[in-house]
Amino acid sequence: MDTGLRLDALSALCGCNVETTAARSQLSPQDFINIVALKEFYKQEGHQQLEYPSVGTISLQEDQDLYSAPAALTEGPSEPPSNNPTIKINPEDFFHPQYNYDFTRIKDGDQSFLRGNELYVRPCGWNRAALRVLQKYDGGDGWLGTGTDAWPVSYHGHNMDGSLGVILTHTGSSADEPNFLDAAAALLVTEDTRGRGIYSTPDIKMAEKFSKTFKSKTDGKTYQVVLQNRINPKQRKQCQRAGLWLLYIPEGSSEVQTRAIVENSLRPYGLLLKQA
């Protein structure tokens, strides 16, 4: 996968101009998914812009019409707003080619895979550029493994937000559940009540439906892009709409608190691309 194509995909996802540098990357992969997820959440909340440390002000005005329906595969080039910042990344410290995997011609059929004792639906049909996330988090790399302490796999589609009309399922409180889950349950008043927070899915087909589509400046072809992550099983909540998980963000959370919820719950490890 060409470096230019990967940068085009990152630009399309975050709405900024992503360029290479020989110096240290301005953002880590975790920062990147923070921006992508927070942009969608703050759009949902009606904000006009996102302030992110080391980046500055990012406009939330582009693509707002896409939240009424999945992006059409025929849409044209996705140009970041001209007033949005340029983000410099060093491919050497941002990507991890050793773990790239081309699933484009793979069909799993009846085979099944587990991550964290939960079903892992592999992204067959997609090409994965691995992100450099090993030894970047406290507590080791068990979250990224295949054992019982691993986190389940989650896919983040660009257009997945509260406009899906997702209702949070309350399973009852217990001593080990955070208090905010009870607050989330209080939102269940009508059938169209939406969970407030960040959405992702274990289903690559659902993520594809809500993926970001862009035309590459590098080769002129049109692609879909999705982020492959691991999600903290203690933080997510299943939704009544099958195949969706929610990271609930309580009302009144500050920007720092909101960002901390994402950082503690969603960790990226792959950039998935597929020609549309």
Side-chain angles (χ1 to χ4, degrees):
M1 192 187 301
D2 184 83
T3 298
L5 175 57
R6 286 178 284 169
L7 297 181
D8 292 341
L10 294 176
S11 298
L13 278 173
C14 72
C16 298
N17 299 292
V18 180
E19 300 178 355
T20 59
T21 179
R24 184 177 179 179
S25 292
Q26 187 177 350
L27 294 179
S28 68
Q30 182 65 55
D31 285 315
F32 188 80
I33 196 172
N34 289 353
I35 289 175
V36 173
L38 291 174
K39 280 185 61 182
E40 292 169 24
F41 173 67
Y42 283 122
K43 282 181 187 177
Q44 177 185 343
E45 293 293 293
H47 293 255
Q48 303 299 310
Q49 60 188 31
L50 167 68
E51 296 287 341
Y52 197 84
S54 80
V55 175
T57 302
I58 302 174
S59 171
L60 303 183
Q61 298 305 298
E62 83 283 6
D63 293 346
Q64 285 208 342
D65 60 314
L66 298 181
Y67 283 78
S68 60
L73 296 183
T74 55
E75 78 174 54
S78 178
E79 294 288 344
S82 58
N83 61 334
N84 266 359
T86 294
I87 296 173
K88 300 282 190 177
I89 69 163
N90 185 332
E92 296 296 322
D93 66 31
F94 194 88
F95 295 105
H96 205 163
Q98 178 183 347
Y99 297 99
N100 289 354
Y101 202 99
D102 188 352
F103 292 93
T104 53
R105 293 179 175 83
I106 291 179
K107 295 182 180 180
D108 285 336
D110 294 332
Q111 294 184 83
S112 61
F113 302 86
L114 297 177
R115 296 293 184 270
N117 281 342
E118 295 190 25
L119 182 65
Y120 166 36
V121 180
R122 300 203 302 175
C124 296
W126 296 77
N127 195 352
R128 181 177 71 201
L131 306 179
R132 194 172 292 276
V133 293
L134 290 176
Q135 300 178 357
K136 300 294 184 181
Y137 297 93
D138 293 338
D141 295 325
W143 64 277
L144 193 54
T146 59
T148 57
D149 58 342
W151 291 7
V153 173
S154 162
Y155 299 103
H156 189 83
H158 175 77
N159 296 320
M160 300 175 73
D161 77 344
S163 65
L164 294 171
V166 179
I167 304 172
L168 186 67
T169 299
H170 184 53
T171 57
S173 60
S174 63
D176 60 349
E177 281 187 324
N179 292 333
F180 69 72
L181 296 183
D182 288 331
L187 296 175
L188 298 178
V189 179
T190 63
E191 288 187 354
D192 62 352
T193 300
R194 297 166 180 172
R196 182 179 189 271
I198 310 298
Y199 290 90
S200 63
T201 176
D203 184 354
I204 184 59
K205 293 187 180 299
M206 178 175 287
E208 178 177 357
K209 182 179 178 181
F210 295 98
S211 64
K212 176 68 176 179
T213 303
F214 69 98
K215 186 173 182 180
S216 171
K217 297 177 183 177
T218 301
D219 62 14
K221 298 177 182 178
T222 301
Y223 294 88
Q224 294 168 272
V225 58
V226 166
L227 284 168
Q228 186 177 27
N229 320 291
R230 297 296 184 96
I231 189 168
N232 188 334
K234 297 180 181 179
Q235 299 296 333
R236 62 158 183 202
K237 292 295 291 180
Q238 290 188 347
C239 301
Q240 287 187 357
R241 181 167 178 168
L244 279 173
W245 289 330
L246 173 70
L247 300 176
Y248 177 69
I249 297 178
E251 291 278 0
S253 297
S254 67
E255 291 186 3
V256 173
Q257 291 170 327
T258 300
R259 188 167 69 247
I261 290 173
V262 179
E263 290 180 345
N264 292 329
S265 307
L266 205 59
R267 295 176 178 177
Y269 71 102
L271 181 72
L272 302 177
L273 284 101
K274 181 178 185 179
Q275 192 169 341

